[in-house]
Every structure is written in C-alpha cells, then in structure tokens.
Amino acid sequence: MSKNQNKTGSYSFFNCIEKNFDKAARFISIKKGLLEQIKACNSVYRMHFPVKIGKEIKVIEAYRVQHSHHKLPCKGGIRYSMKVNQDEIMTLAALMTYKCAIVDVPFGGSKGGIKIDPQTISSENIEKITRRYTSELIKKNFIGPGIDVPAPDYGTGEREMSWIFDTFLSLRSGDVDALACVTGKPVSQGGVRGRKEATGLGVFYGIRELCHVKEDMYSVGLDVGLVGKKIIIQGLGNVGYHAASFFHESGAIIIALAEREGAIYNEKGLNVSKVFLHLKNNGSILNFPEAKNIENTEKALELECDILIPAALENVIHKNNANRIKAKIIGEAANGPITPEADEILDKKGVIIVPDIYLNAGGVTVSYFEWLKNLSHVRYGRMEKKFRENVNAEFLKVIETVCKKKISIEEKKMILRGPREIDLVRSGLEDTMINGFHKIRDLKKSLKIENIRTAAFVLSINKIIDSYEKLGIFP
Ligand code: NAD
C-alpha cells in the first residue's frame, strides 16, 4: 500500500494530489522538509452559520481553504454542491497553487465551498447564503483584494460573484479597491470581457496546441490538427459548454455530450448551440432530435473517440472504468476527474492526459486580468485603442502612397482596428496557454519525465521553490 493511501487502500482526493506531487518530487533535489511545506495547506477555515429559510433555521456548512501564502493574495473559486467537504476543498485549493505557478499568475492557491444543492434552493435563499458566507469570510479576514480573492466554480457564476462584491463593499465601504475582492463578476459590475468563457477557451487552446505537435499525434495514431477530431464532452456547464463551442467552431466533431440525466450521441457531430438551446427549453439534453439518447451517462465516457473532455466533477474516471476508456487523448477540463489508479491504467495504455493544473488554468489567468483591471480602475484598451487606430491610419496612407494602390474598405477596417478589451484578454490567454504547454513539454523531454502531469507538477513546484527562496524563507 502506498503512503498516500488510507486504511481501506483507496485514496482521498487530497492524497491523489500528494501522490502526483511525490512523483514530481523525484525530479527535484531539495530538502524533504521544504517540499512538505509546499504540500501542506496553510489555513483551513470550516464554518457553520444559520440561515432562515422559510419558517425554518438551517445550519449551513461551508469552507475556505488557503493552501499557500507564498504569493498573495490567494485565489480560488467557490463551489456550491452537496458533495462539498474539507478534503475536497483542501485539494482544490492545492490545485490552484500549482495551477497559478504554471501559468505565471502571482497568487497562492485557495478554494471555497458551501454544502448546498443550488438546484433545489430558490435564488432568494442562495443570495442569503452567499451574503452570509461572505460576511463570515470578512469577519475572519479570509477575503479582500490583497488577502484572498474568490471566483466562480462548480454551481456558481457571475450572479454569486456580484453578491459577494456587494456584501464586501457594504461592510468595507470606502475601500477604493473593493472591486478586486472577487473575480468572475458581470462586466457591468467590474468584470472583464472574456472571463465567462475563459476556462473553456483555455481548454481549447491547450488541446489545439497538443494537436499541432506531430510527434505526439503520431504516438497515438492521430493526424496533426483539430479538424475532424472526434470529441466527447462530459458536463455542459460553464467550462464544458464553452469548450464544446470552441471545438465545434474549429472544425472538430462533437460526437457526444454527457449531462447528469444522460448523454446524447451522433457520430456525424452535434451542433453545440442547438443542443444548448434544447437544454434551456427542456431542462435536459435528452431527446435532442438529431441524436440518440444514452441513458447511463457514465457510458458516454467509454465510447470510441479521439479526445475525451471531462468537464463536470472529480473522480469520474476511476479504476473500474479506466480500462474501458477508448479515447487517445484526455483533456482534464474539470479538476481531478481521473483517480491515481485510473491515471496509471491510462498511462500504461499510452493515452495522452493533459492535466487539470495546466489545462483549466484559463479561468484563473483571466481572473488575474480582471483583478488587475479592478486595481487599475480602467478598462483594457481604453487608453490606447484610438491612438493605435490613428497610427494604423497614418501607416496605411504611407503604404497606399508607396504602392500606388488603394486598399479596399473591408481590408482597411481590419487593419485600422485598435484593440478592444476582449481582444487583449483573449490574446493574453492564448499566449499564456501556448507558453505553458511548451514549457511543460520541453521540461518533460529534457528530464525524460514519463507523462505531462508529472512534468507540469515539476515545473510548478520549481517555480514555488524559487519564489520561497527569493522570499528568504528557504535557506
Ligand atoms: P458548472 O456548475 O457550470 O457546470 C457543471 C456541469 O456538470 C453542470 O451542467 C452539471 O449539470 C454537470 N454535471 C454534474 N454532474 C454530472 C455528471 N455526473 N455527469 C455529467 N454532467 C454532470 O461548473 P463549471 O464551472 O463548468 O465547472 C466544471 C468543472 O471545471 C469543475 O471541476 C470545476 O472545478 C472546474 N473548473 C471550473 C472553472 C471555472 O472557471 N468555472 C475553472 C477551473 C476549473
């Protein structure tokens, strides 16, 4: 039995991360105690608070965990789910630390969770719970632009982030940087354009980059490029829906989509926006006219495909189904969708796994851009858009004079355009995901590391060590 396993021989979620960490530690020469410090969760805040729901008083269980203070503020989403527990939130906080280091986002990792099922609670009561949770965080100094900055995660979105901001502002009135206390807000409340789709778009950029590496594609018997690749996506929420849309637009074929209630399948491809409309109108993806229903949603993961994207929850690929997975590439859009046992089985089968700590980092990357925007109090592109357009116009005039040729109005429109906020955010995200991929891949090659996950952990841990060393904590 490995030291990361519990008495029953299985792994807790936190043990899974420790196991991945230990695999990476073999490639790092530093004192063991220092590695233990990086692994440990710095602060765990478990709370219970009362909320009046109807005529009853309900006691709500909730958490905020700050995994690492090597950089501040801490950063991490808040999830609403009946599965929320301390082990899960600690693990997700740890993943945030490693994720931020990989994509050069200067935050420590944190995570929060409230044990509720938002699907069965009215929005009025979700608001009450969210506001009370925020005030509990304020009381214990667990939230603030320079302390700890939440964001959306499973079961939460812009609406909840708006309530968090409003509660923070009302209890900290006059704080000129209050907007930066939370990210993932609506644009009208200080959010940044491009945050909502950022995680899904980051997943798309990461997988696209892999699909352009000839050596990697040939190793699993696939052609180079995304066009025509058959993809299955589990979870049609924020991350899954946007990832599916970007893959669909790029010419990949979405052959199956899986949700809680079941999955749908069409070998020729599903139109993602039509499926989403069907889901909105019917409350279920099932019975979509252009697809076959699969009643047991888990079975969708086992269908023949090139790329499998789990974008719902953790531990969905485990030792009991790993052998039946036929995908050649798995992109971890969700956090921790593959258990360590399944990871080993899939590794042996030669499946390329693009790990969560890199692949779903698009959300925190754009959250970082939102935080910077809030601290600078100015929209991206506001200062330079017109200036760039004027310079481009002058440049164009010179080209037309020198070449003695008029450029068409359509071409002019394209060339003259100055950058808007969405252009800058997306280019920053694309650059981050491309760089991250190649840094991990180069390290994997140079140290002969067995897989991308371990290489990603090595890259991340080395950056955290560097940061601690520069702080002067490590001798
Ligand atoms: P979400 O709540 O918007 O969507 C999750 C979707 O998964 C929902 O549509 C839900 O119905 C579906 N689902 C739940 N159980 C399922 C099951 N058994 N089978 C199939 N579908 C199921 O959440 P999200 O924000 O999209 O997050 C999804 C995952 O991505 C989580 O693991 C989260 O931690 C991770 N993540 C999210 C972000 C972000 O920016 N939102 C960033 C990084 C990582």
Side-chain angles (χ1 to χ4, degrees):
M1 198 188 295
S2 128
K3 71 182 168 76
N4 303 112
Q5 280 166 295
N6 61 28
K7 283 179 197 152
T8 62
S10 60
Y11 295 93
S12 76
F13 196 16
F14 196 71
N15 294 153
C16 300
I17 301 302
E18 289 188 307
K19 189 171 156 72
N20 291 327
F21 186 102
D22 292 344
K23 279 188 189 167
R26 292 177 292 132
F27 295 90
I28 297 165
S29 54
I30 186 166
K31 285 187 187 124
K32 194 166 167 280
L34 307 181
L35 287 172
E36 292 301 320
Q37 163 58 28
I38 295 174
K39 242 201 257 187
C41 271
N42 288 180
S43 317
V44 178
Y45 176 21
R46 176 171 184 224
M47 65 199 96
H48 285 98
F49 53 81
V51 175
K52 203 167 174 199
I53 295 185
K55 287 189 179 144
E56 284 180 52
I57 304 232
K58 292 257 183 238
V59 179
I60 308 289
E61 180 182 331
Y63 300 86
R64 186 74 188 169
V65 173
Q66 296 172 349
H67 172 258
S68 179
H69 294 143
H70 76 287
K71 284 197 191 283
L72 286 170
C74 292
K75 186 92 190 73
I78 295 180
R79 62 169 50 186
Y80 291 178
S81 150
M82 284 310 287
K83 289 188 179 154
V84 160
N85 61 66
Q86 184 171 324
D87 178 75
E88 179 193 57
I89 302 301
M90 282 169 63
T91 312
L92 295 168
L95 281 174
M96 284 304 297
T97 296
Y98 305 126
K99 203 177 290 185
C100 289
I102 288 177
V103 289
D104 289 327
V105 164
F107 297 138
S110 59
K111 202 80 179 188
I114 306 185
K115 193 171 176 177
I116 52 168
D117 178 1
Q119 295 207 321
T120 60
I121 303 179
S122 69
S123 74
E124 206 179 35
N125 286 327
I126 297 177
E127 178 173 355
K128 264 193 213 167
I129 295 168
T130 306
R131 288 185 183 277
R132 179 63 194 250
Y133 174 73
T134 310
S135 64
E136 294 293 327
L137 294 180
I138 295 170
K139 263 197 248 170
K140 290 276 195 280
N141 218 17
F142 262 70
I143 185 171
I147 299 166
D148 192 349
V149 183
D153 192 69
Y154 185 88
T156 59
E158 288 185 342
R159 184 184 65 167
E160 287 74 14
M161 302 309 115
S162 229
W163 293 332
I164 291 173
F165 161 62
D166 186 58
T167 310
F168 184 86
L169 188 64
S170 60
L171 294 172
R172 288 268 192 276
S173 81
D175 182 343
V176 71
D177 290 328
L179 267 179
C181 78
V182 61
T183 60
K185 303 178 292 293
V187 173
S188 61
Q189 298 296 310
V192 74
R193 287 159 186 84
R195 172 60 184 90
K196 211 198 272 180
E197 67 274 26
T199 310
L201 183 56
V203 169
F204 166 77
Y205 286 143
I207 296 292
R208 186 191 65 183
E209 212 48 31
L210 168 71
C211 288
H212 280 112
V213 181
K214 225 189 227 177
E215 193 187 334
D216 293 356
M217 288 303 97
Y218 289 178
S219 77
V220 287
L222 291 175
D223 292 334
V224 174
L226 258 180
V227 177
K229 292 258 181 326
K230 293 190 171 176
I231 301 186
I232 296 173
I233 298 187
Q234 182 195 41
L236 207 58
N238 178 307
V239 179
Y241 166 69
H242 288 109
S245 304
F246 289 113
F247 282 123
H248 179 66
E249 279 165 26
S250 75
I253 305 169
I254 309 294
I255 59 164
L257 289 166
E259 256 295 327
R260 296 168 201 256
E261 66 278 10
I264 52 170
Y265 173 77
N266 181 341
E267 203 192 355
K268 296 205 173 88
L270 296 161
N271 181 319
V272 177
S273 40
K274 278 193 190 168
V275 175
F276 196 64
L277 198 66
H278 174 84
L279 170 65
K280 264 185 134 183
N281 293 338
N282 301 285
S284 164
I285 58 168
L286 292 176
N287 304 322
F288 180 64
E290 295 153 31
K292 268 197 262 173
N293 283 346
I294 300 172
E295 274 176 24
N296 181 351
T297 188
E298 286 175 24
K299 286 286 162 203
L301 304 176
E302 300 170 16
L303 296 169
E304 199 86 47
C305 69
D306 298 320
I307 305 171
L308 173 62
I309 307 282
L313 277 175
E314 55 263 22
N315 297 337
V316 294
I317 303 176
H318 41 78
K319 63 180 178 201
N320 298 327
N321 66 0
N323 260 322
R324 296 196 296 273
I325 301 287
K326 298 180 192 73
K328 302 191 172 80
I329 298 167
I330 302 179
E332 292 187 325
N335 283 312
I338 304 179
T339 66
E341 295 99 334
D343 210 30
E344 276 165 22
I345 297 169
L346 294 164
D347 234 9
K348 279 192 196 128
K349 282 171 62 166
V351 177
I352 300 179
I353 297 170
V354 188
D356 47 7
I357 55 166
Y358 156 70
L359 195 65
N360 69 30
V364 74
T365 302
V366 175
S367 272
Y368 170 46
F369 300 158
E370 181 176 332
W371 181 76
L372 290 174
K373 172 185 178 178
N374 295 154
L375 293 178
S376 65
H377 301 270
V378 63
R379 164 171 48 84
Y380 287 108
R382 179 164 179 185
M383 306 297 279
E384 70 264 40
K385 184 167 179 286
K386 193 67 196 148
F387 173 75
R388 291 268 192 90
E389 286 172 359
N390 291 342
V391 171
N392 291 347
E394 292 298 321
F395 190 55
L396 213 61
K397 258 194 228 161
V398 174
I399 292 179
E400 284 185 329
T401 315
V402 172
C403 300
K404 297 191 175 74
K405 194 177 170 231
K406 282 274 171 218
I407 289 169
S408 75
I409 292 179
E410 281 315 303
E411 284 168 334
K412 259 189 193 163
K413 259 195 204 158
M414 203 178 67
I415 299 166
L416 288 181
R417 198 165 64 97
R420 299 164 303 164
E421 181 165 87
I422 186 77
D423 302 319
L424 295 167
V425 165
R426 288 209 173 160
S427 79
L429 172 62
E430 186 174 9
D431 190 48
T432 302
M433 294 308 292
I434 293 174
N435 279 335
F437 178 83
H438 290 288
K439 275 190 200 153
I440 296 168
R441 197 173 178 279
D442 291 350
L443 192 70
K444 177 177 177 290
K445 280 199 115 180
S446 68
L447 295 184
K448 297 192 172 49
I449 300 174
E450 61 273 19
N451 57 43
I452 307 180
R453 189 190 309 281
T454 305
F457 266 93
V458 175
L459 178 70
S460 172
I461 297 166
N462 276 336
K463 286 191 185 177
I464 299 166
I465 289 171
D466 184 58
S467 163
Y468 269 124
E469 278 175 348
K470 304 257 157 68
L471 270 178
I473 291 173
F474 287 180

